[in-house]
């Protein structure tokens, strides 16, 4: 309800919706949390979680959830992430970022992505990653060559990856290592629209 109040939908013509958007979004999130089928959601999860609310029929529920545009999902997920971060107590006065790797020490996947390394450099980071030569070709990308040179010059930094890996291991131990999705569309929205399951996407892990 807070999300819908802060981010109201534009007014449209036609008959008013019988069930508010806040209810439909809540049911959609409930389905993801419980990894439930449509029938499990309508006849088990929803009545248990919202016993005093009037619930839509199964067909109406499916239609309403499936017609939520991707832009609205992205907006909701970003808002939910902000609520979670706001609850975290600051542990340092210096802003910092954590990625699946280190401060920007990346695992092997980073070393294979020349465009990613270049984008990180343009953002002001100095990525350090292990870079391996291919079977037929050596390393030709300048961004990969620079990342490899940093790894050779700073082996102690590369060995420090274990610190951040411990954090991710603790998070996955507490909350699970993945978020289930029963549809490709839900997975694509959850991982930011990339359509893949890359290791750096939190929603896909």
């Amino acid at each position: 309800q807070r999300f819908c109040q802060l981010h109201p939908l534009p007014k449209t013509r036609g008959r008013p919706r019988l069930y508010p958007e806040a209810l439909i979004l809540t049911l959609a999130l409930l389905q993801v949390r419980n990894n439930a089928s449509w029938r499990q959601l309508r006849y088990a999860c929803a009545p248990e979680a919202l016993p005093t609310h009037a619930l839509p029929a199964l067909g109406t529920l499916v239609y309403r959830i499936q017609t939520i545009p991707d832009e609205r999902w992205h907006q909701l997920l970003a808002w939910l992430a902000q609520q979670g971060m706001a609850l975290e107590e600051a542990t340092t006065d210096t802003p910092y970022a954590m990625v699946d790797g280190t401060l920007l020490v990346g695992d092997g996947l980073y070393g294979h992505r020349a465009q990613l390394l270049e984008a990180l450099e343009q953002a002001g980071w100095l990525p350090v990653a292990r870079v391996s030569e291919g079977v037929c070709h050596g390393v030709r990308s300048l961004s990969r060559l620079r990342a490899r040179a940093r790894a050779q010059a700073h082996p102690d930094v590369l060995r420090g990856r274990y610190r951040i890996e411990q954090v991710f291991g603790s998070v996955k131990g507490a909350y699970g290592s993945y978020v289930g999705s029963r549809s490709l569309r839900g997975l694509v929205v959850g991982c930011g629209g990339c359509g893949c399951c890359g290791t750096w996407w939190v929603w896909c892990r």
Side-chain angles (χ1 to χ4, degrees), residues 69-133:
D70 291 353
E71 294 78 10
R72 193 62 169 170
W73 281 122
H74 287 299
Q75 196 176 28
L76 173 63
L77 293 176
W79 183 82
L80 288 173
Q82 290 174 357
Q83 308 315 301
M85 289 186 290
L87 295 176
E88 296 290 337
E89 295 183 3
T91 57
T92 176
D93 294 331
T94 304
Y96 63 94
M98 287 175 29
V99 297
D100 187 3
T102 59
L103 45 129
L104 209 45
V105 179
D107 55 19
L109 184 63
Y110 285 79
H112 293 285
R113 299 291 184 266
Q115 291 182 342
L116 173 61
L117 293 172
E118 186 175 349
L120 292 170
E121 289 176 337
Q122 292 176 355
W125 295 87
L126 294 176
V128 179
R130 289 191 176 94
V131 177
S132 303
E133 296 186 356

Side-chain angles (χ1 to χ4, degrees), residues 87-204:
L87 295 176
E88 296 290 337
E89 295 183 3
T91 57
T92 176
D93 294 331
T94 304
Y96 63 94
M98 287 175 29
V99 297
D100 187 3
T102 59
L103 45 129
L104 209 45
V105 179
D107 55 19
L109 184 63
Y110 285 79
H112 293 285
R113 299 291 184 266
Q115 291 182 342
L116 173 61
L117 293 172
E118 186 175 349
L120 292 170
E121 289 176 337
Q122 292 176 355
W125 295 87
L126 294 176
V128 179
R130 289 191 176 94
V131 177
S132 303
E133 296 186 356
V135 178
C136 300
H137 302 285
V139 180
R140 292 177 291 182
S141 169
L142 294 179
S143 61
R144 296 184 68 215
L145 287 172
R146 290 191 293 267
R148 184 171 68 174
R150 294 188 197 101
Q152 294 172 348
H154 304 285
D156 54 326
V157 174
L158 196 61
R159 288 194 295 268
R161 285 182 59 243
Y162 76 91
R163 295 187 179 92
I164 196 64
E165 297 297 343
Q166 287 178 347
V167 174
F168 278 92
S170 299
V171 171
K172 289 194 288 187
Y175 299 102
S177 60
Y178 67 93
V179 175
S181 175
R182 286 180 173 267
S183 68
L184 176 61
R185 178 173 178 266
L187 175 63
V188 170
V189 171
C191 70
C194 66
C196 71
C197 291
T199 58
W200 58 76
W201 292 105
V202 176
W203 289 97
C204 293

